[in-house]
Each structure stands twice: as C-alpha cells, then as structure tokens.
Amino acid sequence: VQLQASGGGLVQTGGSLRLSCAASGFNLGYYSIGWFRQAPGKERDKVSCISYSGGRNYYADSVNGRFTISRDNAKNTVYLQMNNLKPEDTAVYYCAVPAWSKRSPCGARGTVGFDYWGQGTQVTVSS
C-alpha cells in the first residue's frame, strides 16, 4: 500500500491549489480517503473525507465552501481542490486510508480509523 501526495506549493492569499493523492498497490475505489493537515506545533486535523460508498463528503468547518474533494477511480487518485486559500491553511497536507476496504471512518474523530498515510505535501499561503 502506497500513497503519494503531491501538488503543494507557495500561493498568495485568495489563490488556489489542487492536491493529488495517487495510490499504488491497491484499488482506491474500494476505500474511503481522508485529507488531513498539520501545522507546526498543532495536531493533525481532518480536512476532508470521501467515502468508498459515495454519499455526502466530509469537510471541516474551516474549509467548507472553499475545498472540494473528488476521486478518479480510473486513475486511482483522489484530489483536493483548494480555492480562496488563507494563511491559516498553511500546513503539511496528508492523505490517508483505512487498513481495510469498505470502511468509512470519515465521521470518526480526528485520525481514528486511518492507517496508511502518504508522505505529505507542504502548502504555504502568503498574506
């Protein structure tokens, strides 16, 4: 199981970035995928989550209306489109999946239920 997060970078306030999480070694279509972020000195927080079964996606209140999670099962990749970025969005962003397919920890607290993690991609938003 491997997850490769990419797409981070430096952007000005109000700008946009699209993060990608490419999976290898398993079929991402059977898995729920979460995006998390961690700023220096802070806990790792769940930003967004998409369930394997469809339905409503999860967004943290701080990003709701600005971020959109989506998946392309043919490319085995999940995306996080981030618009209207703010300096407080600055963090390392990680994608993660549960150890088992057809599990949906999107509604669980924090990182609970997520077992495999990508290496993270840095997002920096300048004011």
Side-chain angles (χ1 to χ4, degrees):
V1 173
Q2 270 198 317
L3 296 170
Q4 180 77 31
S6 62
L10 173 64
V11 65
Q12 291 186 333
T13 295
S16 297
L17 286 172
R18 188 177 78 156
L19 305 184
S20 299
C21 177
S24 59
F26 67 104
N27 187 338
L28 198 58
Y30 293 116
Y31 286 78
S32 302
I33 304 99
W35 279 101
F36 298 78
R37 67 186 181 189
Q38 188 167 21
K42 294 190 176 182
E43 291 186 352
R44 189 170 296 188
D45 293 327
K46 188 186 303 174
V47 173
S48 184
C49 188
I50 186 166
S51 174
Y52 76 96
S53 61
R56 183 180 294 181
N57 300 325
Y58 167 83
Y59 296 99
D61 289 343
S62 57
V63 307
N64 196 23
R66 300 187 297 122
F67 290 12
T68 303
I69 192 170
S70 62
R71 66 197 305 160
D72 186 336
N73 291 338
K75 294 184 178 180
N76 225 27
T77 300
V78 171
Y79 304 98
L80 186 68
Q81 177 67 42
M82 306 188 297
N83 297 329
N84 191 21
L85 283 161
K86 304 175 181 180
E88 51 264 43
D89 295 319
T90 296
V92 178
Y93 284 70
Y94 301 88
C95 56
V97 297
W100 300 99
S101 64
K102 300 183 180 180
R103 297 289 189 269
S104 188
C106 290
R109 181 174 173 272
T111 61
V112 171
F114 291 90
D115 305 292
Y116 297 113
W117 294 81
Q119 84 290 2
T121 183
Q122 176 71 47
V123 171
T124 303
V125 184
S126 63
S127 56

